[in-house]
Structure formats: C-alpha cells, structure tokens
C-alpha cells in the first residue's frame, strides 16, 4: 500500500518519503540492529516471535517497498484512468489493477 501511495497518488511530501525509504536501503545492518535490540528489550519481546517479526519488517521494508514502487511505475496510467472512468475507486484500483 505504501508503494502504491508513493507511485500513484499525488501528495505533498511524496518525494521526501521516497528518498527516506531509499536512504533506509543503504543503512548498514549494524546501524539498525542496535536500536532494534533496545526496542525489543523495552517492549519485553526478548525470545518471542514478535521480536523476530519486528526485526524482519525493519530490515526488509525499504527494499520491498522500492521493488513494488518500480513495478507500479511501470503500469501505464491509461489503465488506471480507464478503471476510474468505469467507476473504480482508489481501493479497487489497488486491489484489482
């Protein structure tokens, strides 16, 4: 959903958010793991599945968002415009197109 919002919707800080996600891809793993370990300790998630899920999301989110962004940019805008002419709202555009 984030990649769809950045690729297709027009909003104020769209390019700044996209740049922030690209910078997140270039962060070394060591820079992410220390604050993540502190976060896991503070939320009492040590040795739980929640800690594992949180770490996988923190590490993989920037990369997967940019992959989906590149895919959504490649879809022609004419398809989206035709779906809007047929009465599709933003949710249907995301789910069906």
């Amino acid at each position: 959903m984030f990649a769809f919002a950045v690729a297709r919707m027009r909003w104020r800080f769209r390019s700044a958010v996209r740049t922030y996600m690209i910078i997140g891809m270039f962060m070394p793993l060591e820079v992410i793991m220390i604050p993540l370990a502190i976060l896991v300790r503070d939320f009492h998630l040590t040795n739980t599945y929640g800690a594992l899920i949180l770490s996988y999301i923190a590490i993989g989110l920037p990369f997967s968002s940019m992959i989906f962004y590149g895919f959504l940019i490649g879809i022609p805008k004419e398809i989206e415009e035709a779906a809007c002419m047929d009465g599709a709202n933003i949710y249907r555009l995301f789910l069906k197109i």
Side-chain angles (χ1 to χ4, degrees):
M1 288 183 175
F2 172 77
F4 180 78
V6 173
R8 292 295 182 182
M9 299 171 73
R10 302 288 176 237
W11 40 288
R12 188 172 182 180
F13 296 111
R14 184 179 76 145
S15 63
V17 170
R18 186 177 65 225
T19 304
Y20 182 71
M21 291 303 282
I22 291 172
I23 290 171
M25 287 174 44
F26 293 113
M27 287 288 193
L29 189 60
E30 293 81 10
V31 173
I32 297 170
M33 292 309 291
I34 292 171
L36 190 61
I38 293 169
L39 189 69
V40 166
R41 184 194 64 203
D42 290 345
F43 285 146
H44 304 290
L45 293 174
T46 308
N47 295 328
T48 63
Y49 288 120
L52 191 62
I53 291 169
L54 187 65
S55 63
Y56 282 150
I57 289 173
I59 293 168
L61 187 65
F63 180 71
S64 62
S65 294
M66 289 298 112
I67 293 291
F68 285 126
Y69 173 79
F71 169 73
L72 290 169
I73 287 294
I75 297 174
K77 291 209 183 263
E78 290 81 15
I79 294 174
E80 183 179 331
E81 292 170 358
C84 287
M85 292 292 287
D86 290 338
N89 58 8
I90 194 76
Y91 303 110
R92 177 143 320 185
L93 286 174
F94 176 72
L95 293 174
K96 301 290 182 178
I97 304 294

